[in-house]
Amino acid sequence: MIEFLKKYNMHIFIIIVAILTAYDLLNWNDISPVRKLVNIFAILAILHEIEEKYWPGGFAELMLKKLNVSINDLDVGRANLSVVIFWLVYIGLGYIFDNITFLFMMTIILSLFEAFIHTAGIKIHKLDKPSQV
């Protein structure tokens, strides 16, 4: 089961978000603006993960290259699974706690973390512009 989850975690994540999106679209007038924002955020999370992990030359590949680590040497499935679990918990909390303050607090913390990590990656690689990736 773990091997299946390690291999197909992103697919499962996309299916879950697609189901949530379909449900929210069918009930668009009955759901809160916060839940609509959480759903949009979930779609953006999918795009973010595709950019970081599956797009050639993505952020993960760039960082591993700097550390002289081959992506083939790592258990990428386990790392991806942990990130997908994080996203599902994050999005699930947004659905459970239908509160704008909670959503903004969580999103600000995540955004600051992402900004720090990506800025550190740019500085480590001494990149001046995106075309150097």
Side-chain angles (χ1 to χ4, degrees):
M1 181 66 169
I2 293 295
E3 291 303 316
F4 177 82
L5 290 174
K6 284 169 44 175
K7 186 172 183 179
Y8 295 107
N9 60 68
M10 192 65 185
H11 299 83
I12 294 167
F13 182 42
I14 292 169
I15 290 168
I16 290 170
V17 171
I19 291 168
L20 293 173
T21 301
Y23 180 81
D24 286 352
L25 287 173
L26 290 172
N27 298 297
W28 190 257
N29 294 328
D30 298 331
I31 61 173
S32 72
V34 171
R35 187 139 156 205
K36 292 174 186 175
L37 288 173
V38 170
N39 192 266
I40 291 168
F41 193 79
I43 293 167
L44 293 174
I46 289 171
L47 296 175
H48 177 77
E49 290 306 310
I50 289 171
E51 178 272 326
E52 281 202 352
K53 295 185 182 85
Y54 300 103
W55 202 281
F59 185 73
E61 190 176 315
L62 179 69
M63 294 304 290
L64 289 173
K65 187 170 85 174
K66 183 65 175 181
L67 298 171
N68 293 323
V69 176
S70 170
I71 199 156
N72 298 326
D73 297 339
L74 300 175
D75 189 354
V76 177
R78 179 175 285 156
N80 290 349
L81 178 59
S82 63
V83 172
V84 166
I85 289 170
F86 165 80
W87 279 118
L88 290 173
V89 168
Y90 183 87
I91 292 163
L93 289 172
Y95 268 79
I96 294 167
F97 299 106
D98 202 3
N99 179 315
I100 197 84
T101 305
F102 181 79
L103 175 69
F104 281 149
M105 182 179 67
M106 292 281 292
T107 305
I108 288 169
I109 291 168
L110 179 63
S111 299
L112 290 173
F113 174 73
E114 279 289 318
F116 173 77
I117 293 298
H118 284 267
T119 302
I122 290 167
K123 296 295 182 191
I124 288 169
H125 288 83
K126 298 178 178 69
L127 300 175
D128 296 327
K129 52 188 172 184
S131 63
Q132 289 183 329
V133 177

